[in-house]
Amino acid sequence: MMGKLKVYADRMSQPSRAVLIFCRFNGIDFEEIKVDISKRHHLSPEFREVNPLQKVPAIVHGSFNLSESHAILVYLVSAFPGIADHWYPSDLYRRAKIISVMDWHHSNLRHGAVNYVINTVLGPATGRPLNPKAAAEAEKVLLSSLSKLEDIWLNGDGHFLLGVSQPSIADLSMVCELMQLEVLDEKDRSRILSPYKKVLQWIEDTRTATNPHFEEVHNILYRAKRI
């Protein structure tokens, strides 16, 4: 008996939101435990016992602890019955492609998006000063990543990554990444995203495919933008 799944998350964290949406959409019974990064809760001795790396999200499932959102999503697909195959296909080739795009995500799209948002808006909330020079460098990575998304990963007949008709864990992870741009000034967000029509449609398709959970989990971003 594994016991109830515990998900340690901060909804301002893109990977945390992906895990929460996945759990809610797939009817996984879990307890959400808030770890407020802005209040340094992730640095507490209590959370260090959960994840020695002191980052969110993290899960505890019985005696099993796991961190890193992509690993968590893969685990959840396997640990809980009834998860639709499209999230992480059993077909070896399709699964390998999803792993490929998720690996690309971390060193490209996430690298650019995180550093741009932190250095233009969210830095002070995490104890970092805004850094225009770092923001400019991050923007180059972000725009390059968006171009590759548009021309390579979304180059197919389907609505989702790799040209398929239903979302995978890669779609959810990467759309949650781009949703962080909601905290930007609307003019700045539009300047960055509006040239990429396939990307914009993909975000909407993923939102639609996972609602109402997508909107509920992202409400924190919409509130932050209004402040």
Side-chain angles (χ1 to χ4, degrees):
M1 184 71 176
M2 292 294 289
K4 190 172 186 178
L5 176 71
K6 296 180 180 180
V7 178
Y8 293 79
D10 183 338
R11 291 191 179 199
M12 283 299 292
S13 150
Q14 306 89 305
S16 290
R17 293 195 301 271
V19 171
L20 292 171
I21 293 166
F22 183 85
C23 287
R24 289 186 181 279
F25 181 85
N26 287 289
I28 294 172
D29 184 27
F30 73 101
E31 177 185 359
E32 179 182 350
I33 300 174
K34 182 178 180 181
V35 180
D36 192 331
I37 294 174
S38 69
K39 295 180 180 177
R40 309 294 188 268
H41 290 172
H42 60 301
L43 301 179
S44 69
E46 294 80 10
F47 185 64
R48 190 181 297 118
E49 292 296 315
V50 174
N51 180 11
L53 298 175
Q54 298 180 290
K55 293 186 176 184
V56 291
I59 63 169
V60 174
H61 195 200
S63 61
F64 179 65
N65 292 29
L66 187 64
S67 60
E68 297 299 327
S69 63
H70 290 169
I72 291 170
L73 290 166
V74 169
Y75 172 78
L76 294 175
V77 168
S78 302
F80 290 88
I83 306 295
D85 188 70
H86 65 81
W87 285 109
Y88 194 58
S90 54
D91 178 85
L92 176 62
Y93 298 142
R94 291 174 60 200
R95 178 173 287 197
K97 286 287 190 179
I98 288 173
I99 295 169
S100 175
V101 72
M102 290 196 300
D103 284 352
W104 175 85
H105 168 207
H106 263 309
S107 56
N108 293 275
L109 184 65
R110 179 160 179 75
H111 177 64
V114 165
N115 287 310
Y116 185 76
V117 170
I118 284 176
N119 285 295
T120 55
V121 178
L122 292 183
T126 60
R128 308 180 195 181
L130 299 182
N131 186 330
K133 183 178 179 181
E137 290 301 312
E139 183 177 344
K140 293 176 185 177
V141 177
L142 175 56
L143 295 179
S144 174
S145 299
L146 288 167
S147 292
K148 289 182 174 64
L149 256 179
E150 185 91 353
D151 298 334
I152 299 173
W153 300 118
L154 292 170
N155 184 24
D157 296 330
H159 294 288
F160 300 100
L161 293 169
L162 306 170
V164 301
S165 60
Q166 293 177 294
S168 71
I169 56 175
D171 292 282
L172 186 56
S173 180
M174 292 167 66
V175 168
C176 285
E177 191 72 66
L178 287 176
M179 285 298 294
Q180 201 76 351
L181 302 181
E182 286 287 335
V183 302
L184 301 176
D185 173 86
E186 188 56 37
K187 184 177 180 180
D188 196 25
R189 179 181 178 276
S190 179
R191 177 184 63 81
I192 290 170
L193 286 178
S194 61
Y196 304 100
K197 305 306 181 187
K198 289 182 184 178
V199 170
L200 288 170
Q201 186 60 54
W202 167 63
I203 292 171
E204 290 308 307
D205 289 339
T206 304
R207 184 201 309 269
T208 300
T210 55
N211 264 337
H213 313 289
F214 188 96
E215 286 295 280
E216 189 272 325
V217 171
H218 279 94
N219 272 335
I220 190 169
L221 281 186
Y222 308 142
R223 292 198 302 270
K225 190 168 188 173
R226 292 194 295 266
I227 294 175

